[in-house]
PDB file of all heavy atoms in Angstrom:
ATOM      1  N   PHE V 304      13.761   4.779   0.874  1.00  0.00           N
ATOM      2  CA  PHE V 304      13.029   4.005  -0.128  1.00  0.00           C
ATOM      3  C   PHE V 304      12.670   5.023  -1.195  1.00  0.00           C
ATOM      4  O   PHE V 304      12.228   6.124  -0.865  1.00  0.00           O
ATOM      5  CB  PHE V 304      11.768   3.434   0.514  1.00  0.00           C
ATOM      6  CG  PHE V 304      10.733   2.940  -0.470  1.00  0.00           C
ATOM      7  CD1 PHE V 304      10.713   1.619  -0.871  1.00  0.00           C
ATOM      8  CD2 PHE V 304       9.765   3.806  -0.986  1.00  0.00           C
ATOM      9  CE1 PHE V 304       9.763   1.162  -1.776  1.00  0.00           C
ATOM     10  CE2 PHE V 304       8.809   3.352  -1.893  1.00  0.00           C
ATOM     11  CZ  PHE V 304       8.810   2.027  -2.274  1.00  0.00           C
ATOM     12  N   LEU V 305      12.913   4.706  -2.464  1.00  0.00           N
ATOM     13  CA  LEU V 305      12.466   5.618  -3.513  1.00  0.00           C
ATOM     14  C   LEU V 305      12.100   4.859  -4.775  1.00  0.00           C
ATOM     15  O   LEU V 305      12.912   4.153  -5.359  1.00  0.00           O
ATOM     16  CB  LEU V 305      13.545   6.653  -3.857  1.00  0.00           C
ATOM     17  CG  LEU V 305      13.190   7.556  -5.049  1.00  0.00           C
ATOM     18  CD1 LEU V 305      12.017   8.460  -4.730  1.00  0.00           C
ATOM     19  CD2 LEU V 305      14.363   8.379  -5.488  1.00  0.00           C
ATOM     20  N   ASP V 306      10.846   5.021  -5.150  1.00  0.00           N
ATOM     21  CA  ASP V 306      10.368   4.443  -6.396  1.00  0.00           C
ATOM     22  C   ASP V 306      10.198   5.598  -7.381  1.00  0.00           C
ATOM     23  O   ASP V 306       9.341   6.451  -7.179  1.00  0.00           O
ATOM     24  CB  ASP V 306       9.034   3.733  -6.126  1.00  0.00           C
ATOM     25  CG  ASP V 306       8.354   3.254  -7.391  1.00  0.00           C
ATOM     26  OD1 ASP V 306       8.979   3.314  -8.466  1.00  0.00           O
ATOM     27  OD2 ASP V 306       7.192   2.811  -7.305  1.00  0.00           O
ATOM     28  N   VAL V 307      11.064   5.635  -8.422  1.00  0.00           N
ATOM     29  CA  VAL V 307      10.931   6.718  -9.410  1.00  0.00           C
ATOM     30  C   VAL V 307       9.851   6.429 -10.437  1.00  0.00           C
ATOM     31  O   VAL V 307       9.563   7.256 -11.285  1.00  0.00           O
ATOM     32  CB  VAL V 307      12.229   7.031 -10.200  1.00  0.00           C
ATOM     33  CG1 VAL V 307      13.149   7.884  -9.393  1.00  0.00           C
ATOM     34  CG2 VAL V 307      12.906   5.798 -10.711  1.00  0.00           C
ATOM     35  N   GLY V 308       9.275   5.221 -10.352  1.00  0.00           N
ATOM     36  CA  GLY V 308       8.161   4.901 -11.232  1.00  0.00           C
ATOM     37  C   GLY V 308       8.611   4.394 -12.579  1.00  0.00           C
ATOM     38  O   GLY V 308       9.798   4.376 -12.901  1.00  0.00           O
ATOM     39  N   GLY V 309       7.639   3.966 -13.360  1.00  0.00           N
ATOM     40  CA  GLY V 309       7.920   3.374 -14.661  1.00  0.00           C
ATOM     41  C   GLY V 309       8.521   4.367 -15.637  1.00  0.00           C
ATOM     42  O   GLY V 309       9.378   4.028 -16.441  1.00  0.00           O
ATOM     43  N   GLY V 310       8.100   5.604 -15.571  1.00  0.00           N
ATOM     44  CA  GLY V 310       8.529   6.629 -16.522  1.00  0.00           C
ATOM     45  C   GLY V 310      10.015   6.936 -16.409  1.00  0.00           C
ATOM     46  O   GLY V 310      10.746   6.850 -17.383  1.00  0.00           O
ATOM     47  N   ALA V 311      10.476   7.252 -15.215  1.00  0.00           N
ATOM     48  CA  ALA V 311      11.873   7.580 -14.928  1.00  0.00           C
ATOM     49  C   ALA V 311      12.484   8.499 -15.984  1.00  0.00           C
ATOM     50  O   ALA V 311      13.565   8.255 -16.498  1.00  0.00           O
ATOM     51  CB  ALA V 311      12.714   6.310 -14.758  1.00  0.00           C
ATOM     52  N   SER V 312      11.792   9.587 -16.279  1.00  0.00           N
ATOM     53  CA  SER V 312      12.306  10.564 -17.245  1.00  0.00           C
ATOM     54  C   SER V 312      13.453  11.346 -16.609  1.00  0.00           C
ATOM     55  O   SER V 312      13.669  11.265 -15.406  1.00  0.00           O
ATOM     56  CB  SER V 312      11.196  11.552 -17.614  1.00  0.00           C
ATOM     57  OG  SER V 312      10.837  12.284 -16.457  1.00  0.00           O
ATOM     58  N   GLN V 313      14.153  12.109 -17.444  1.00  0.00           N
ATOM     59  CA  GLN V 313      15.297  12.878 -16.941  1.00  0.00           C
ATOM     60  C   GLN V 313      14.873  13.819 -15.819  1.00  0.00           C
ATOM     61  O   GLN V 313      15.544  13.943 -14.802  1.00  0.00           O
ATOM     62  CB  GLN V 313      15.914  13.685 -18.076  1.00  0.00           C
ATOM     63  CG  GLN V 313      17.133  14.474 -17.615  1.00  0.00           C
ATOM     64  CD  GLN V 313      17.722  15.297 -18.731  1.00  0.00           C
ATOM     65  OE1 GLN V 313      17.677  14.903 -19.884  1.00  0.00           O
ATOM     66  NE2 GLN V 313      18.280  16.443 -18.378  1.00  0.00           N
ATOM     67  N   GLU V 314      13.709  14.441 -15.995  1.00  0.00           N
ATOM     68  CA  GLU V 314      13.230  15.388 -15.005  1.00  0.00           C
ATOM     69  C   GLU V 314      12.974  14.694 -13.668  1.00  0.00           C
ATOM     70  O   GLU V 314      13.329  15.201 -12.605  1.00  0.00           O
ATOM     71  CB  GLU V 314      11.947  16.036 -15.535  1.00  0.00           C
ATOM     72  CG  GLU V 314      11.583  17.304 -14.818  1.00  0.00           C
ATOM     73  CD  GLU V 314      10.120  17.671 -15.048  1.00  0.00           C
ATOM     74  OE1 GLU V 314       9.506  17.121 -15.982  1.00  0.00           O
ATOM     75  OE2 GLU V 314       9.613  18.485 -14.275  1.00  0.00           O
ATOM     76  N   ARG V 315      12.355  13.503 -13.728  1.00  0.00           N
ATOM     77  CA  ARG V 315      12.076  12.772 -12.495  1.00  0.00           C
ATOM     78  C   ARG V 315      13.373  12.342 -11.826  1.00  0.00           C
ATOM     79  O   ARG V 315      13.532  12.452 -10.613  1.00  0.00           O
ATOM     80  CB  ARG V 315      11.224  11.528 -12.781  1.00  0.00           C
ATOM     81  CG  ARG V 315       9.771  11.844 -13.048  1.00  0.00           C
ATOM     82  CD  ARG V 315       9.008  10.571 -13.365  1.00  0.00           C
ATOM     83  NE  ARG V 315       8.729   9.790 -12.165  1.00  0.00           N
ATOM     84  CZ  ARG V 315       7.738  10.078 -11.323  1.00  0.00           C
ATOM     85  NH1 ARG V 315       6.954  11.109 -11.537  1.00  0.00           N
ATOM     86  NH2 ARG V 315       7.533   9.325 -10.267  1.00  0.00           N
TER      87      ARG V 315
END
Side-chain angles (χ1 to χ4, degrees):
Chain V
F304 164 93
L305 174 67
D306 172 9
V307 280
S312 64
Q313 182 181 327
E314 197 198 344
R315 284 178 77 79

